[in-house]
Amino acid sequence: MALRPLHDRVIVKRLDNERKTASGIVIPDSAAEKPDQGEVLAVGPGKKGDDGKSQPLDVKVGDKVLFGKYAGQSVKVDGEEVLVIREDEILAVIS
């Protein structure tokens, strides 16, 4: 990937949501919500503290994460839409 996040930023690729309900109803793209789960593609070096040292991030490349519905900024890189978010906008790591 051509992006290298700075400070405490993380690059996340959204994971696809189910397009069919449990009862078999197909949800069209126009009615589907944005997924709130994703996979971490790249992480920054960490936020700088008052002493000037970087604090490493708790997430790493390959982690599956949960984030808020309106978190971060969507950007297109090489025709693929990714999300740039701060580490503190990540709610949980899915294990």
Side-chain angles (χ1 to χ4, degrees), residues 13-87:
K13 179 181 177 186
R14 290 184 190 265
L15 297 177
D16 291 331
N17 274 351
E18 290 287 325
R19 297 284 183 212
K20 190 185 289 189
T21 65
S23 61
I25 299 172
V26 177
I27 301 171
D29 289 339
S30 60
E33 293 184 6
K34 290 182 180 179
D36 56 358
Q37 296 179 13
E39 181 179 356
V40 176
L41 300 178
V43 296
K47 192 171 189 173
K48 298 227 186 236
D50 293 335
D51 58 358
K53 296 180 182 177
S54 290
Q55 299 172 352
L57 302 181
D58 291 332
V59 296
K60 60 186 181 303
V61 174
D63 281 349
K64 303 263 191 290
V65 294
L66 183 68
F67 49 87
K69 191 178 290 190
Y70 301 107
Q73 178 68 39
S74 293
V75 294
K76 277 198 173 189
V77 179
D78 300 331
E80 183 179 0
E81 188 172 324
V82 295
L83 193 64
V84 180
I85 62 177
R86 291 183 176 270
E87 185 192 30

